[in-house]
Amino acid sequence: MASVFENLAAAPVDVIFALTAAYKADPNPSKVNLGVGAYRTEEGKPWVLPVVHKADHIMVDDENLDHEYLPILGLEPFRQASVKLILGAGSKAIAEGRAGAAQCISGTGAVYTGAHFLSKHYPIKGAACYISKPTWANHRAIFEGVGIPVLEYPYWDAATKGLDLKGMLASMEDAPRGSIFLLHPCAHNPTGVDPTPDQWKQIADVMEAKGHFTFFDTAYQGFASGSLDKDAYSVRYFVERGFEMFIAQSFSKNFGLYSERAGNLTIVAKTPAIKATIESQIAKAQRAVISNPPAYGSRVVSLVLNDEKLYGEWESNLSSMANRIISMRQALFDELTKLGTPGTWNHIVDQIGMFSFTGLSTPQAKVLKEKYHVYLTDNGRISMAGLNTKNVQYFAQAVDDVVRNY
């Protein structure tokens, strides 16, 4: 008897995870992994934040902790602390009771939760979600997966290796009123190019004039610049302007809790009543998908965010990670400058966050992988966290070769 799935086609493998698998299987001692979006130490190892170690020990010794189900919307102290972290302690949305939250399965789950809600309840039927070109691949997959059409707005200017603000604003102007725009508040993935405060003002002006819905996806608060407040500037500015919005938050990068899937969807509504209604619908949907979120990661984050001393230690850990990545940007720029590599490379130090959009072509990326055992995505994006003082010169020499000869 034949299988009912006889004619099922296999799905393509995930590019990033396939890249990591290829790197691990490569026996070459000079190999460099610049594909994965996870922090690495100077020794190229994963780093468990010291403050997370402390939180682990505190929880292990807490005899009052149990393994009971969390509420459907998650751990309440975690939700409240997450909202306060992104909006700021003095946010008028918090003071007015208009800010809500749902604990989600990391940032991916937060984007999905918000997208699913919009697919069911956004009043403008058929409204498309506009994502930046380029963006994190999962953005398209998530919104299309819930039935929301996905379009792109210009973002990366290949000529200047910076922001195409003119194209971005024009796309917002041309989009039908009430469209959904997914924005990266800091450390844009994959380009590392962020708008300036003045550019955010221009973006907000058009968004407001056109009645577009704002959906922020923040995976790098505090990790980008080293300052939690600076990295939240755009979100807080939009809140001050009176926007309703969703904000997907991930604690994978800034806490190093990659496998624990700690995330939150912050909701900023016009009134407390609307906020409560949105939360009720998200709770209903969440019950049908995951029943309730996992406890461990949210407990770690909650413990740190709600303890003044631990919070200060966390800020220090964040600065360590951000500063090492910034130093690697400078080191790579200096090596390329020293080699006289053709082209301009100031964008390496101008960009911010974990990733750099190098401007290398797909054929050049292929040569880097095959000739130099340097693993990066085909669009030329590299994870700066994969560089260290032991391999940055090797990588720069490899880049110099492919730029000159391929």
Side-chain angles (χ1 to χ4, degrees), residues 129-171:
C129 176
Y130 286 74
I131 60 176
S132 64
K133 185 179 181 181
T135 191
W136 181 49
N138 251 358
H139 284 153
R140 177 179 290 277
I142 290 169
F143 279 88
E144 287 185 342
V146 297
I148 294 178
V150 174
L151 299 172
E152 293 179 320
Y153 59 86
Y155 194 87
W156 170 256
D157 186 327
T160 65
K161 296 183 176 63
L163 177 65
D164 181 4
L165 181 65
K166 184 178 179 181
M168 182 180 182
L169 294 177
S171 181

Side-chain angles (χ1 to χ4, degrees), residues 65-388:
L65 279 186
D66 55 42
H67 298 284
E68 293 296 296
Y69 292 122
L70 291 184
I72 295 171
L73 287 178
L75 187 68
E76 184 64 22
F78 166 80
R79 293 167 58 211
Q80 291 182 2
S82 297
V83 172
K84 181 180 173 183
L85 181 69
I86 190 63
L87 300 187
S91 172
K92 64 181 182 181
I94 296 176
E96 294 167 1
R98 301 184 289 108
Q103 182 185 334
C104 301
I105 308 297
S106 199
T108 305
V111 174
Y112 171 82
T113 299
H116 181 268
F117 173 88
L118 293 173
S119 75
K120 300 293 185 183
H121 305 291
Y122 195 57
I124 303 174
K125 299 305 176 187
C129 176
Y130 286 74
I131 60 176
S132 64
K133 185 179 181 181
T135 191
W136 181 49
N138 251 358
H139 284 153
R140 177 179 290 277
I142 290 169
F143 279 88
E144 287 185 342
V146 297
I148 294 178
V150 174
L151 299 172
E152 293 179 320
Y153 59 86
Y155 194 87
W156 170 256
D157 186 327
T160 65
K161 296 183 176 63
L163 177 65
D164 181 4
L165 181 65
K166 184 178 179 181
M168 182 180 182
L169 294 177
S171 181
M172 289 178 166
E173 289 274 14
D174 293 342
R177 184 173 184 81
S179 295
I180 302 161
F181 273 81
L182 195 145
L183 305 171
H184 303 228
C186 68
H188 182 272
N189 179 7
T191 69
V193 173
D194 290 346
T196 65
D198 180 67
Q199 289 170 335
W200 276 119
K201 180 182 182 300
Q202 295 178 63
I203 292 166
D205 287 344
V206 178
M207 291 283 288
E208 183 177 43
K210 293 288 295 191
H212 295 323
F213 184 79
T214 304
F215 197 135
F216 280 114
D217 182 12
T218 175
Y220 301 96
Q221 186 184 356
F223 192 98
S225 68
S227 167
L228 290 158
D229 292 329
K230 184 177 180 180
D231 291 348
Y233 168 81
S234 56
V235 173
R236 295 175 186 178
Y237 176 71
F238 271 60
V239 172
E240 286 298 313
R241 290 279 296 259
F243 284 86
E244 286 190 298
M245 69 185 75
F246 286 168
I247 308 144
Q249 295 168 265
S250 169
F251 295 100
S252 293
K253 309 295 193 299
N254 55 15
F255 267 86
L257 293 171
Y258 302 99
S259 65
E260 306 307 336
R261 315 312 292 147
N264 187 69
L265 179 69
T266 287
I267 302 147
V268 178
K270 287 292 185 183
T271 69
I274 293 172
K275 179 264 294 184
T277 301
I278 293 171
E279 284 183 331
S280 74
Q281 290 290 348
I282 287 176
K284 179 185 175 184
Q286 186 134 294
R287 173 66 170 141
V289 178
I290 62 169
S291 275
N292 31 51
Y296 170 70
S298 62
R299 283 174 172 167
V300 171
V301 174
S302 180
L303 190 59
V304 173
L305 295 187
N306 288 298
D307 182 286
E308 187 176 348
K309 185 177 179 182
L310 292 176
Y311 189 95
E313 290 184 38
W314 178 51
E315 287 185 302
S316 177
N317 294 170
L318 278 172
S319 293
S320 296
M321 292 190 288
N323 290 338
R324 198 190 81 74
I325 288 177
I326 290 168
S327 72
M328 284 301 101
R329 288 186 179 279
Q330 189 64 52
L332 177 58
F333 174 78
D334 290 346
E335 290 291 343
L336 292 170
T337 302
K338 187 163 59 179
L339 290 166
T341 306
T344 58
W345 298 96
N346 58 293
H347 59 284
I348 299 291
V349 288
D350 290 342
Q351 294 167 5
I352 192 170
M354 181 172 284
F355 300 111
S356 176
F357 219 49
T358 59
L360 295 170
S361 67
T362 298
Q364 289 169 335
K366 187 171 185 287
V367 174
L368 284 172
K369 279 181 273 190
E370 294 177 354
K371 182 177 179 180
Y372 289 100
H373 305 268
V374 173
Y375 292 83
L376 72 163
T377 55
D378 289 343
N379 61 6
R381 185 201 80 169
I382 61 171
S383 173
M384 297 303 301
L387 291 177
N388 54 58

